Amino acid sequence: MSNYEIFKPQTVKEASDLLKNDGYMPLAGGTDMVVKIKNGFFKNLKAVVYVGNLPFNKIINENNKVIIGSGCTMEEIATNPIIKENYPTLVEAANTVGATQIRHMATIGGNVGNSSPAGDSIPALYSLDAQVLITNGTSQRTVDIKDFFTGPGRNVLQLGELIEAFVLPLRKTTGRFMKLGERSALAISKINLALSTWEDGKKHYRVALGSVAPTVLRSKKAEEILENAAHPLTEEVIQKASEAARETADPITDIRSTKAYRKQMAGVLLRKALEK
Ligand SMILES: Cc1cc2nc3c(=O)[nH]c(=O)nc-3n(C[C@H](O)[C@H](O)[C@H](O)COP(=O)(O)OP(=O)(O)OC[C@H]3O[C@@H](n4cnc5c(N)ncnc54)[C@H](O)[C@@H]3O)c2cc1C
């Protein structure tokens, strides 16, 4: 393991100033970071900046928006009354992250900050039209979740910037999160899918797929087919939407799965989510 310093700043400004240094990285629950540090993944790591003392751990409902602090753990998200009431897809996604011990440590900010296309909260956030609230200690900016990732493990954060929160439109959605791993639980996804729907006179659908491309993708074609269909959905519509999801997927073969399997499963997962 490399030698590195540990800082525990008490304010966002202090954390942000530290993170302007080359080789300094944020640490939240540490469930990704510690594994990577132990495996020597970071060649230039000089210090970790613990962000767990920062005021990023609240879930609030404000001005028709729900703000989820980046420091909220998967367990806090899965059991929060506002999230349970409005965003079942996110509850299901949070509940599939690792085992109980991991869910008590793993934060949503860390899941997004890690920027893996297999991160389970990410398709759920796409399906809920989330925005990422970014701070540098003195000012904030927001970025649509779909514009946050620039590739596997990469994102738009600049030196000194932190994810402060995720901002979701307040709407009562229904939905499902589906995941295929080596086992049905406690495994990194081979492929995952989030489906969220809501009504405002019209029925809206969001379909987001993970582990099928360098970043999570929305299947806009599948969404369009579902939004233009009469309800209840017919077998023909479900079949067309599933085919569209399969066409959207552009996966690779890696140690967890093959391209052909992932592509096929994109359609299967959407069908299952729609039929539940
Ligand atoms: C046994 C095990 C099982 C797992 N199972 C799953 C699973 O089923 N599904 C899944 O998606 N993941 C899984 N993971 C991965 C991990 O638990 C999640 O990605 C978790 O959400 C990371 O959160 P963390 O708080 O631990 O992040 P950390 O490890 O502290 O940080 C992760 C990354 O995010 C950055 N970061 C942290 N906070 C911020 C912030 N506020 N702003 C900017 N960047 C930040 C860090 O610098 C780092 O790059 C598993 C891990 C383990 C060890």
Side-chain angles (χ1 to χ4, degrees):
M1 207 187 300
S2 59
N3 282 327
Y4 57 90
E5 284 188 87
I6 301 173
F7 293 93
K8 295 184 175 175
Q10 301 296 320
T11 68
V12 182
K13 173 86 172 63
E14 204 188 328
S16 173
D17 285 346
L18 283 163
L19 288 165
K20 286 178 185 139
N21 291 297
D22 178 50
Y24 283 46
M25 287 191 70
L27 176 100
T31 59
D32 277 316
M33 278 291 281
V34 172
V35 176
K36 285 185 170 174
I37 292 170
K38 279 190 176 164
N39 290 338
F41 184 83
F42 304 113
K43 302 291 173 231
N44 183 37
L45 184 69
K46 295 183 182 139
V48 294
V49 178
Y50 177 63
V51 295
N53 293 328
L54 306 183
F56 293 167
N57 56 356
K58 290 200 173 62
I59 297 176
I60 49 175
N61 174 350
E62 189 179 87
N63 300 330
N64 271 330
K65 291 184 163 57
V66 172
I67 300 166
I68 304 173
S70 61
C72 293
T73 64
M74 296 300 172
E75 184 66 20
E76 285 164 346
I77 287 166
T79 55
N80 179 274
I82 304 172
I83 307 292
K84 281 167 73 177
E85 163 100 16
N86 296 293
Y87 311 121
T89 314
L90 185 56
V91 171
E92 286 191 6
N95 265 328
T96 71
V97 173
T100 312
Q101 296 93 321
I102 292 288
R103 284 198 294 279
H104 276 88
M105 295 178 74
T107 65
I108 190 163
N111 200 235
V112 172
N114 192 48
S115 301
S116 159
D120 283 324
S121 71
I122 300 172
L125 290 170
Y126 269 61
S127 78
L128 296 167
D129 291 342
Q131 292 198 307
V132 187
L133 178 64
I134 297 169
T135 180
N136 65 5
T138 47
S139 62
Q140 295 168 314
R141 64 183 177 119
T142 48
V143 173
D144 274 357
I145 187 89
K146 69 173 172 35
D147 299 323
F148 181 79
F149 305 99
T150 53
R154 297 200 307 274
N155 57 53
V156 299
L157 288 179
Q158 306 283 322
L159 270 188
E161 285 189 326
L162 281 165
I163 303 168
E164 178 169 341
F166 301 93
V167 183
L168 278 56
L170 176 62
R171 42 171 91 124
K172 201 163 170 45
T173 66
T174 58
R176 295 306 312 258
F177 176 79
M178 316 288 294
K179 159 174 173 174
L180 285 175
E182 205 48 61
R183 301 178 299 270
S184 57
L186 314 186
I188 304 293
S189 294
K190 288 178 176 185
I191 172 170
N192 56 22
L193 176 142
L195 167 73
S196 291
T197 73
W198 74 98
E199 289 196 54
D200 55 8
K202 181 178 183 300
K203 188 144 185 174
H204 298 271
Y205 286 84
R206 292 285 184 273
V207 177
L209 290 155
S211 280
V212 297
T215 62
V216 168
L217 293 178
R218 263 176 63 190
S219 179
K220 296 215 173 159
K221 186 76 199 299
E223 292 171 4
E224 196 184 301
I225 290 166
L226 295 165
E227 288 186 350
N228 290 330
H231 290 84
L233 299 174
T234 61
E235 164 56 29
E236 189 191 350
V237 169
I238 293 175
Q239 181 60 26
K240 277 191 181 155
S242 302
E243 279 165 19
R246 205 171 59 222
E247 278 161 27
T248 303
D250 186 16
I252 54 164
T253 294
D254 65 12
I255 51 163
R256 288 201 299 279
S257 191
T258 64
K259 177 182 171 89
Y261 178 78
R262 284 186 162 123
K263 213 167 164 56
Q264 183 68 20
M265 287 304 116
V268 171
L269 289 189
L270 180 56
R271 167 177 286 280
K272 282 189 159 203
L274 288 167
E275 287 174 348
K276 284 219 173 179

